[in-house]
């Protein structure tokens, strides 16, 4: 039995939902952890998942959900509560003797990272490591979905400076494929796994999505983003994130490289922004080394 958090999905990449689907397609037993018992939870039941409803920050929810679990996937949205949920999940996993926790982190997670959220992710990684639960940290690049949310009226409006500002990107579905592959891989794994699928300038990204690009002043971006996300925490993180890329500009950075992890664990080359924004049949092998499941790209964010 594999426990998957974030299984209902959401607008920030839906990695938990993608992981659930991938595991169920392979005939794995999945316990899907969701926050609300809504139509999305009912869809998971119809797919064959065992659904549990609870709060990841509350030990009385997570502890019973962890019983009988051998491996688990942990993701937490870009909002307040990451370290609370991490502590609870790590404690419950350690108590149950879970052999591997695959968790979604961020590309530049470190104690000196330039955003508070990335620094918190580094602390979360340490907590999972101290728990001794075989943690694998997926340090993922900027999700395609973050660009999609910023698109409005045919324009991709972000405070990223000129069109040649470069950003590391990845499809939420590719992060999920890496996670699913690692959850099913019986062999040892490095504790840190970098997951980047594409490097592009913001101009190229806009072109791939069929949009024009507008460089917004940071204060205008913050006002717009608060209306869209409705969460000051989310806006704070993204504002810091865009500022980093604006600072680096068109220069190089050690983390600016497409990683082999997507093909190694996900079983196919990374999805591109063009493929993500314009879904069409794609041949390929399923996730995991030697996987044999057909691949169907999707941009579903529900």
């Amino acid at each position: 039995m594999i426990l998957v958090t974030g299984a209902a999905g959401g607008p920030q990449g839906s990695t938990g939902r993608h992981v659930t689907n991938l595991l169920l397609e392979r005939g794995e037993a999945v316990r899907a952890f969701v926050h609300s018992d809504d139509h999305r939870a009912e869809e998971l039941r119809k797919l064959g998942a065992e659904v549990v409803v609870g709060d990841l920050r509350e030990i009385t929810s997570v502890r019973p959900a962890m019983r009988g679990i051998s491996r688990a996937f942990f993701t937490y949205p870009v909002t307040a509560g990451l370290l609370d949920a991490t502590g609870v999940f790590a404690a419950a996993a350690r108590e149950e003797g879970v052999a591997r926790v695959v968790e979604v982190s961020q590309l530049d997670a470190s104690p000196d990272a330039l955003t508070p959220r990335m620094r918190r992710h580094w602390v979360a990684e340490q907590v999972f490591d101290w728990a001794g639960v075989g943690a694998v940290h997926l340090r993922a690049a900027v999700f395609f979905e973050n660009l999609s949310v910023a698109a409005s009226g045919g324009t991709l409006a972000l405070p990223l400076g000129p069109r040649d500002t470069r950003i590391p990107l990845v499809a939420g579905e590719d992060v999920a494929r890496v996670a699913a592959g690692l959850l099913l891989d019986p062999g040892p794994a490095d504790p840190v796994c970098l997951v980047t699928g594409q490097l592009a300038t913001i101009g190229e990204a806009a072109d791939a999505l069929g949009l024009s690009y507008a460089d917004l002043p940071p204060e205008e971006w913050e006002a717009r983003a608060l209306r869209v996300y409705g969460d000051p925490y989310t806006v704070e993180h993204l504002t810091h994130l865009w500022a980093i890329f604006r600072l680096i500009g068109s220069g190089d950075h050690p983390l600016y490289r497409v990683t082999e992890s997507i093909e190694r664990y996900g079983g196919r080359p990374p999805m591109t922004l063009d493929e993500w924004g314009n879904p069409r049949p794609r041949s390929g092998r399923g996730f995991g080394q030697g996987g044999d499941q057909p691949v169907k790209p999707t941009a579903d964010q529900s």
Side-chain angles (χ1 to χ4, degrees):
M1 178 73 75
I2 300 173
L3 177 63
V4 178
T5 67
Q12 296 180 0
S14 292
T15 54
R17 181 57 186 264
H18 288 310
V19 169
T20 299
N21 290 344
L22 290 165
L23 294 176
L24 289 173
E25 287 170 5
R26 292 292 287 259
E28 300 295 327
V30 175
R31 183 173 294 158
F33 194 103
V34 300
H35 192 261
S36 302
D37 197 350
D38 55 18
H39 69 281
R40 297 172 301 169
E42 187 56 34
E43 289 171 359
L44 291 168
R45 292 187 181 97
K46 291 177 181 178
L47 290 172
E50 175 191 334
V51 175
V52 294
V53 182
D55 186 340
L56 278 176
R57 301 166 299 177
E58 179 51 65
I59 191 65
T60 57
S61 292
V62 177
R63 198 170 178 227
M66 195 70 71
R67 290 183 187 133
I69 294 299
S70 60
R71 295 192 171 201
F73 173 75
F74 176 85
T75 186
Y76 195 81
V78 181
T79 189
L82 170 65
L83 295 181
D84 291 337
T86 296
V88 165
F89 202 84
R94 178 180 176 84
E95 181 182 50
E96 191 61 28
V98 171
R100 175 170 292 173
V101 172
V102 178
E103 65 107 4
V104 179
S105 185
Q106 290 183 332
L107 187 60
D108 196 25
S110 73
D112 302 315
L114 297 179
T115 83
R117 177 74 177 190
M118 287 182 181
R119 296 193 293 270
R120 293 183 191 112
H121 265 296
W122 181 82
V123 174
E125 291 181 2
Q126 306 310 300
V127 172
F128 277 119
D129 289 344
W130 295 334
V133 291
V136 180
H137 314 295
L138 302 185
R139 291 188 180 171
V142 178
F143 282 19
F144 292 166
E145 287 80 359
N146 282 320
L147 299 184
S148 175
V149 172
S152 176
T155 300
L156 183 62
L158 287 167
L160 281 168
R163 281 178 55 92
D164 64 352
T165 299
R166 299 173 73 226
I167 48 177
L169 296 162
V170 70
E173 186 179 351
D174 278 339
V175 177
R177 288 182 177 278
V178 173
L182 283 163
L183 286 167
L184 295 182
D185 191 336
D190 292 333
V192 172
C193 180
L194 302 180
V195 189
T196 299
Q198 183 177 0
L199 299 180
T201 67
I202 190 59
E204 291 168 343
D207 292 344
L209 295 174
L211 304 168
S212 61
Y213 168 65
D215 175 29
L216 280 187
E219 59 275 11
E220 186 177 340
W221 146 259
E222 289 189 57
R224 283 194 186 189
L226 192 55
R227 291 194 296 270
V228 171
Y229 289 98
D231 184 346
Y233 186 105
T234 306
V235 175
E236 174 204 45
H237 167 66
L238 290 174
T239 299
H240 282 288
L241 187 67
W242 305 139
I244 292 172
F245 298 132
R246 190 170 64 247
L247 177 66
I248 297 172
S250 59
D252 292 324
H253 189 280
L255 295 176
Y256 278 26
R257 63 182 179 86
V258 174
T259 57
E260 53 82 31
S261 57
I262 295 172
E263 190 155 13
R264 178 182 178 188
Y265 295 110
R268 73 177 193 193
M271 188 181 297
T272 66
L273 255 178
D274 178 65
E275 291 169 322
W276 181 83
N278 304 282
R280 50 188 175 269
R282 176 182 182 181
S283 62
R285 299 181 69 80
F287 69 90
Q289 300 182 55
D292 57 3
Q293 297 297 315
V295 173
K296 293 183 180 179
T298 177
D300 180 21
Q301 298 180 47
S302 63

